[in-house]
Amino acid sequence: MSADQMSVGEMLAATVPMAGTLNLEFLETTAERAVVRLPDQPAYHNHVGGPHAGAMFTLAESASGAIVIAAFGDQLGRAVPLAVKAEIGYKKLAMGVVTATATLGRPVAEVVAELDAGQRPEFPVRIDITREDGAVTGEMTVIWTLAPHRPKSLVGE
């Protein structure tokens, strides 16, 4: 299967092995929204029987990566998406299945215009982590950039 035929979730699982390790389920991936679910798996529980904080961080960061690929996948030939920083807040006890919903914080066209102008644009992705009952258990913001590819040196760096 080529990269063009892969879903965003399949592409992330293939290129970011950690996403596949947690058996994340990519439910929706568009340029406007990404929804990713972490199944309830005892191997990834914490001391109180819910998903470990590290697993929830990976879930949320993977949802942010999914929306970035969906929104900017057509730019991968000239720039690489990189997470610049992330901040997470754990709000309520998470138990069972948890779902991360990511939304892009800036219009795609605005970010691409900065890239076109030779800049290295940064943009936020906001993620809510919820339990099956809809309660928000965590909130995360990841700042991403599109780093332009550097030309290869003629002297062979």
Side-chain angles (χ1 to χ4, degrees):
M1 180 180 284
S2 75
D4 291 340
Q5 296 170 319
M6 286 181 151
S7 71
V8 171
E10 290 167 332
M11 184 183 297
L12 262 169
T15 59
V16 183
M18 187 64 179
T21 298
L22 292 177
N23 302 307
L24 299 180
E25 300 167 359
F26 293 83
L27 307 178
E28 178 183 340
T29 51
T30 68
E32 292 78 38
R33 188 171 111 124
V35 181
V36 182
R37 180 171 44 215
L38 173 65
D40 186 22
Q41 302 168 86
Y44 303 114
H45 281 179
N46 59 19
H47 62 290
V48 294
H52 188 277
M56 290 195 304
F57 183 98
T58 301
L59 166 69
E61 197 275 341
S62 296
S64 77
I67 199 170
V68 169
I69 295 298
F72 302 107
D74 61 339
Q75 304 300 317
L76 297 180
R78 65 182 182 145
V80 62
L82 299 169
V84 175
K85 73 177 179 177
E87 184 174 334
I88 192 166
Y90 300 100
K91 305 297 182 185
K92 291 186 178 184
L93 183 62
M95 298 297 281
V97 174
V98 288
T99 302
T101 302
T103 54
L104 201 57
R106 288 182 60 200
V108 171
E110 186 179 285
V111 174
V112 172
E114 287 182 16
L115 188 60
D116 289 342
Q119 299 173 11
R120 183 176 168 163
E122 289 190 1
F123 52 93
V125 175
R126 178 169 164 66
I127 309 100
D128 286 330
I129 305 169
T130 56
R131 297 186 305 225
E132 286 188 297
D133 66 2
V136 175
T137 63
E139 296 172 338
M140 184 172 180
T141 300
V142 180
I143 305 298
W144 285 84
T145 189
L146 294 179
H149 293 299
R150 295 182 181 170
K152 293 188 182 201
S153 170
L154 296 176
V155 287
E157 289 185 330

